[in-house]
Amino acid sequence: MNARLSAMHRILDRPVNFAGRGLLLVGIIVLLAGAALPLWRISLVAPQYAEGLTLDMYAYQIVAGNAGQDLAEINTLNHYIGMKPIVQADFLEMKVMPFALGVFALLGLRAVVVGRIMGLVDLAVLFSYFGAFSLASFAYRLYSYGHHLDPHAPMKITPFMPVVIGSQQIANFVQTSLPLAGTFCMAGFVLLLVAALWTSIREARRDQR
Amino acid sequence: MSTRVTVLVGGSLAAALMVTAGCNPPGSTKAANSDTSVAAKSFVAPGAKDEYYLFYSGGHSGQVYVAGLPSMRHISTIPVFAPYPATGYGFDVESKSMMGKFTWGDVHHPGLSQSDGKYDGRWLFVNDNANNRIARIDLRDFKTRQILGPIPNSSGNHGSSFVTENSEYVLVASRFSVPLPKGRYADPSTYKTEYNGMVSGIKVDQKTGEMSVGWQVLTPPFNWDLGSTGKGPSSGWAFWTSYNSEMAHETLEATATQGERDYAAIVNWRAAEQAVKDGKATLMDGVPVIDPAKVPGVIYFLPVPKSPHGIDTDPSGRWIAASGKLQPVTSVFDFEKIQKAIAAKTFDGDVRGIPVIKPEAVLEGEVPVGLGPLHTQYDGKGNAYTSLYVESAVAKWTLPPWTDAQKKDLNTIVIDKIPVHFNIGHLVVGGSDTKEPYGRYLVAMNKLSKGRHVSVGPSQPESSQLIDISGNKMSMLYEAYTEPEPHFAQILKVDTIAPIEVYPKAENTDSNAVWEASQASVTRNGNKVEVKMMAIRSRFVPDKIEARAGDEITIHVTNVEQTTDMIHGLGIIEHDMNVVVDPGETKTVKFKAAKAGVFPFYCTNFCSALHQEMQGYLAVKP
């Protein structure tokens, strides 16, 4: 048992191999691309909005369709059910996320230059936690918008949970929520990180034998 | 005679009577075509869109109507010369001041703006025959943007709106002659000597579309009728027909139809423009007027048989067709010959210093089209279509050049005829007045529709019929009841224009616009109350206006929506007020709160599920 543990420690202490560094470098580029690209799209389609109203969530901004007009339209419609207006300034995440992604990119770069396998494990664990937390926070945001409805609103509807991924019918609207390129980049970063780990560990094991 | 025989004979007689009573007299046309396969040719499925706009004049309704082709569906009304509560036109300060003191107009001939002899989709010009005005509709938003007039020295603006090749001018000619300048009295018995007609060039600013009177050419008191502008070889020229070259002033029906010929005017508008630049015009009522007796080369007369009512230049600009409505032929003139005749002075004397071109020197031929020919349109494929008022038909014939055999018997060039219902006036082929007609559809605008529709009482609608002209034979596709009274129309390919559907907030320069509830205000200044109001689904801010009886109230209402079709109206009970505001638009209304009381106001244009709740109060204290 001890031997196994110490073998693992020896592996974790080893530097990331050359291929792993390459994969990681690509991963960081993908991560930075993801930070610039839209992460998620929420769209609303109704008979009189056949072309759909869209909101694209970025790590740092909300971009509404129809040159921004769709956000005004969604808020105008939402006031009937007493939903709080969606305002970018309320999204604390959009201030934190760019900073956090910058930290991950720097940690990754550090690993590219002087990284040990342990560093990669830390990066993977932290980033997974960050990703899971962001998704949960996004879901909570949606929950919050759908549940904190003004009791004096003209139309009273049962509080609802907007769908996080997939489609659902809310009154006359079909709401669809789907990940976009930015999220796939984030996932790509994780995959490349895991691949860097895998190739480094495999090489370390080979050397141990 | 036995009883039996009597019954037999009586029975047969009765049967014969019954049979003949059920028959139409010889000559009556079949009322309906029951071939349903024709329907597919004009069918535009629900949700599908038309290929062409049909902008048709609404005659004495004062408006312009927009229909789609081939469906013939009425899509929209563009109010021009008459109030139209449906869009709040004629209620707000701006449209009211544009209409001036008039509440109606008589729209006859819409003309689309052109660039290089083709429709460019910028503007639509329409005339007002009644109050001597001309209006410009902007096709960016389908709104009337300017009404010019009454045009000085011009009475009865019938002979317009004919747009030059690059929209330099919209040309206008007077239907009625009066003593000039307007306002001068001369007894109608002095008509020949004291009255004058006028041909005018309305200058169009190429950037803004702003119209102004550029120049005028004085004419004898003929009644100028319809015209067209030249292109190609006839570029820079314009043509009008006239009636009453007899210069009669009473019972015109008889007195103005005595002459065998009336004069068409052949106007070199570039020469007119130059004459004004050269200072050869004199100012009359603030407008430079050219006396053609003193300035040669501006206008010529060309005799045309029997009270012509239309002269149309073909897409090449060489052939000019004029129809004498009291003679069953259309005269085709060759502009190249006209130019030669002018150069060689092949004249038959002059009328008041205006040279009269010898008709036989410029006539290419007289086409026996049928009874009561009025207007001619072209398909760009060498064919002409002439409306036959008396005959209730459209004749299709071949433009020159003709073969010798054809020249010998011009009956052979009339290749098709189709009945229309009934008494066709104008007809329109898309782009006929341009270098490149679409040549697909023809719309016949008929003066009478009697018996074609379910009865609606004595006020009968007009009918317009859609005719497919893509084949050799014309074929009737559809008929619709177009708002009174379509005189002429223009057809425009839908993809030529891209109208806006909301006024972008960034473009709103109205200093009284308010975009947020916090900016809305009610301000009193003496007995004047000024309100800056915001309209949004589904409320007005403010929704209470306090005033005192006798106050003058001004409301600037901004529709802050930026969504297509989110239109709000502001109707005020018992105040004869309804303004309708498009998304992103600010409109101003002014009225007197004459009596005390509480007057609800409400949104008149259904906007949302809570439209009914969109209301407020004008509370007027004694």
Side-chain angles (χ1 to χ4, degrees):
Chain A
M1 183 68 195
N2 259 341
R4 281 199 165 184
L5 267 180
S6 55
M8 191 175 83
H9 282 137
R10 275 198 305 279
I11 286 173
L12 289 174
D13 268 348
R14 282 180 63 102
V16 179
N17 72 351
F18 188 73
R21 283 166 205 253
L23 288 168
L24 188 56
L25 189 63
V26 175
I28 292 161
I29 294 165
V30 170
L31 174 73
L32 291 174
L37 291 168
L39 297 169
W40 222 271
R41 168 169 292 181
I42 299 174
S43 59
L44 292 164
V45 172
Q48 67 273 44
Y49 295 96
E51 67 287 356
L53 300 167
T54 61
L55 292 183
D56 284 355
M57 318 300 283
Y58 286 69
Y60 60 99
Q61 65 173 354
I62 300 174
V63 172
N66 191 8
Q69 173 52 27
D70 284 359
L71 179 60
E73 190 62 21
I74 287 169
N75 283 334
T76 304
L77 293 169
N78 283 343
H79 101 277
Y80 287 116
I81 57 166
M83 189 188 280
K84 217 175 135 223
I86 299 169
V87 183
Q88 190 180 307
D90 291 348
F91 285 72
L92 200 63
E93 296 92 324
M94 290 181 182
K95 294 198 178 84
V96 174
M97 271 183 91
F99 178 76
L101 290 170
V103 168
F104 282 114
L106 284 174
L107 285 176
L109 280 176
R110 179 173 169 269
V112 169
V113 183
V114 295
R116 291 179 180 281
I117 291 175
M118 188 62 213
L120 281 195
V121 172
D122 290 344
L123 199 55
V125 169
L126 277 176
F127 192 79
S128 302
Y129 170 71
F130 168 76
F133 183 87
S134 299
L135 257 177
S137 149
F138 177 57
Y140 179 70
R141 278 268 169 210
L142 292 176
Y143 173 89
S144 204
Y145 275 113
H147 281 77
H148 299 128
L149 302 174
D150 184 348
H152 300 296
M155 281 183 211
K156 303 210 172 17
I157 67 163
T158 319
F160 64 98
M161 176 64 196
V163 72
V164 178
I165 185 158
S167 282
Q168 74 172 354
Q169 185 90 27
I170 306 168
N172 55 331
F173 281 96
V174 174
Q175 180 232 337
T176 303
S177 184
L178 288 171
L180 290 181
T183 300
F184 296 120
C185 285
M186 301 290 168
F189 172 63
V190 173
L191 284 178
L192 287 161
L193 196 55
V194 170
L197 259 177
W198 181 74
T199 164
S200 295
I201 291 171
R202 201 176 59 156
E203 197 179 302
R205 279 206 176 140
R206 226 177 10 231
D207 290 354
Q208 275 185 351
R209 269 187 233 118
Chain B
M1 213 188 278
S2 75
T3 326
R4 218 165 161 191
V5 172
T6 314
V7 169
L8 208 68
V9 169
S12 322
L13 255 173
L17 270 172
M18 273 165 71
V19 168
T20 50
C23 283
N24 283 328
S28 58
T29 52
K30 209 176 152 200
N33 178 357
S34 54
D35 176 8
T36 52
S37 70
V38 170
K41 293 188 177 167
S42 64
F43 180 67
V44 177
K49 288 171 187 170
D50 282 296
E51 267 178 83
Y52 301 93
Y53 292 104
L54 174 73
F55 295 98
Y56 69 92
S57 66
H60 42 285
S61 76
Q63 319 295 38
V64 167
Y65 300 94
V66 186
L69 290 187
S71 74
M72 297 288 280
R73 294 180 291 201
H74 171 247
I75 300 171
S76 175
T77 298
I78 305 172
V80 184
F81 296 115
Y84 187 61
T87 59
Y89 187 82
F91 290 83
D92 67 302
V93 170
E94 198 186 353
S95 59
K96 250 174 141 168
S97 94
M98 209 159 48
M99 287 169 62
K101 57 183 194 282
F102 302 106
T103 58
W104 77 290
D106 191 2
V107 182
H108 277 240
H109 314 115
L112 284 165
S113 63
Q114 298 189 12
S115 292
D116 188 29
K118 280 167 271 181
Y119 296 148
D120 58 20
R122 286 183 291 171
W123 307 299
L124 180 73
F125 300 96
V126 293
N127 61 330
D128 167 17
N129 182 47
N131 300 311
N132 309 323
R133 294 174 294 171
I134 188 149
R136 185 185 80 253
I137 293 162
D138 196 327
L139 292 181
R140 181 176 182 248
D141 58 1
F142 283 51
K143 294 281 166 69
T144 303
R145 286 296 170 212
Q146 190 194 357
I147 295 177
L148 177 77
I151 300 167
N153 313 317
S154 185
S155 188
N157 180 19
H158 183 270
S160 78
S161 318
F162 307 118
V163 182
T164 58
E165 268 176 296
N166 290 294
S167 310
E168 297 97 335
Y169 290 96
V170 181
L171 301 180
V172 165
S174 53
R175 173 175 167 189
F176 305 117
S177 290
V178 292
L180 294 179
K182 279 193 254 180
R184 184 167 74 85
Y185 175 79
D187 193 272
S189 63
T190 62
Y191 188 84
K192 268 187 196 177
T193 53
E194 292 301 312
Y195 287 46
N196 276 102
M198 200 67 89
V199 168
S200 313
I202 306 298
K203 201 173 165 60
V204 180
D205 183 288
Q206 292 307 299
K207 276 217 176 94
T208 61
E210 192 74 11
M211 303 176 290
S212 57
V213 184
W215 45 260
Q216 293 186 315
V217 181
L218 193 73
T219 76
F222 306 158
N223 293 53
W224 295 110
D225 209 351
L226 271 144
S228 67
T229 54
K231 57 181 83 69
S234 54
S235 177
W237 293 75
F239 315 95
W240 280 272
T241 51
S242 72
Y243 56 95
N244 192 22
S245 47
E246 295 84 347
M247 297 185 272
H249 67 277
E250 55 191 5
T251 336
L252 257 57
E253 180 187 42
T255 55
T257 48
Q258 294 308 303
E260 277 306 304
R261 291 164 188 272
D262 284 297
Y263 292 113
I266 315 266
V267 177
N268 184 340
W269 62 261
R270 285 211 190 277
E273 188 181 46
Q274 192 57 44
V276 171
K277 269 190 202 147
D278 296 345
K280 291 178 184 165
T282 45
L283 280 187
M284 188 195 288
D285 204 358
V287 176
V289 176
I290 298 162
D291 181 349
K294 293 177 191 152
V295 188
V298 171
I299 181 169
Y300 301 88
F301 285 158
L302 172 62
V304 176
K306 293 307 263 181
S307 305
H309 184 57
I311 182 163
D312 297 285
T313 318
D314 90 312
S316 78
R318 180 174 175 188
W319 310 111
I320 295 153
S323 304
K325 67 186 177 209
L326 303 180
Q327 178 181 299
V329 298
T330 290
S331 306
V332 182
F333 300 102
D334 179 353
F335 190 77
E336 287 178 5
K337 288 184 189 165
I338 291 176
Q339 266 180 324
K340 276 183 204 148
I342 290 171
K345 297 199 157 70
T346 318
F347 299 143
D348 234 350
D350 68 283
V351 174
R352 299 191 184 177
I354 298 166
V356 178
I357 298 169
K358 272 198 174 137
E360 51 282 11
V362 299
L363 182 73
E364 188 68 13
E366 289 186 333
V367 186
V369 286
L371 299 176
L374 298 182
H375 309 289
T376 299
Q377 294 276 287
Y378 307 95
D379 64 6
K381 294 178 276 189
N383 300 306
Y385 302 81
T386 300
S387 57
L388 305 172
Y389 179 86
V390 175
E391 200 171 319
S392 285
V394 173
K396 176 180 178 180
W397 50 276
T398 314
L399 274 171
W402 297 313
T403 63
D404 287 340
Q406 284 173 325
K407 273 185 198 163
K408 233 172 244 164
D409 181 9
L410 283 178
N411 281 300
T412 57
I413 65 152
V414 180
I415 47 186
D416 192 22
K417 205 175 260 193
I418 191 169
V420 291
H421 310 88
F422 304 94
N423 295 89
I424 179 173
H426 276 274
L427 74 181
V428 62
V429 170
S432 170
D433 55 345
T434 72
K435 288 177 179 171
E436 291 173 4
Y438 307 143
R440 175 129 178 238
Y441 297 113
L442 182 155
V443 176
M445 282 158 276
N446 310 316
K447 296 302 180 194
L448 306 182
S449 64
K450 49 188 282 189
R452 297 288 290 185
H453 46 81
V454 292
S455 180
V456 289
S459 281
Q460 294 270 306
E462 262 71 45
S463 88
S464 291
Q465 292 178 306
L466 181 71
I467 295 167
D468 184 350
I469 55 165
S470 58
N472 284 335
K473 287 259 166 203
M474 294 179 277
S475 96
M476 180 67 70
L477 299 184
Y478 198 71
E479 71 188 355
Y481 299 95
T482 32
E483 286 285 304
E485 178 193 320
H487 285 272
F488 187 48
Q490 296 268 272
I491 293 171
L492 182 66
K493 243 190 188 133
V494 163
D495 59 15
T496 314
I497 55 175
I500 55 165
E501 296 194 340
V502 300
Y503 291 101
K505 179 182 172 184
E507 279 182 26
N508 186 314
T509 53
D510 195 313
S511 59
N512 295 307
V514 287
W515 295 93
E516 275 164 43
S518 60
Q519 300 170 333
S521 64
V522 181
T523 322
R524 168 175 290 281
N525 192 352
N527 66 343
K528 291 189 167 123
V529 175
E530 190 168 19
V531 184
K532 292 183 183 178
M533 182 184 273
M534 176 184 107
I536 189 171
R537 270 162 289 168
S538 305
R539 67 183 75 164
F540 293 109
V541 185
D543 57 3
K544 190 175 99 178
I545 300 167
E546 286 195 334
R548 282 194 287 274
D551 279 350
E552 184 194 281
I553 313 237
T554 305
I555 305 176
H556 313 281
V557 53
T558 303
N559 177 351
V560 303
E561 309 276 5
Q562 290 283 282
T563 301
T564 297
D565 215 355
M566 221 28 90
I567 299 165
H568 298 296
L570 174 67
I572 305 171
I573 299 288
E574 288 180 18
H575 277 75
D576 193 31
M577 180 53 69
N578 175 45
V579 68
V580 178
V581 197
D582 293 338
E585 194 180 31
T586 302
K587 277 186 176 171
T588 298
V589 296
K590 231 178 219 161
F591 60 95
K592 203 159 198 165
K595 50 182 183 175
V598 175
F599 304 94
F601 58 80
Y602 68 103
C603 180
T604 48
N605 202 102
F606 212 108
C607 57
S608 73
L610 292 162
H611 162 75
Q612 290 297 98
E613 282 75 1
M614 190 163 171
Q615 63 163 59
Y617 298 99
L618 168 66
V620 185
K621 292 174 186 160

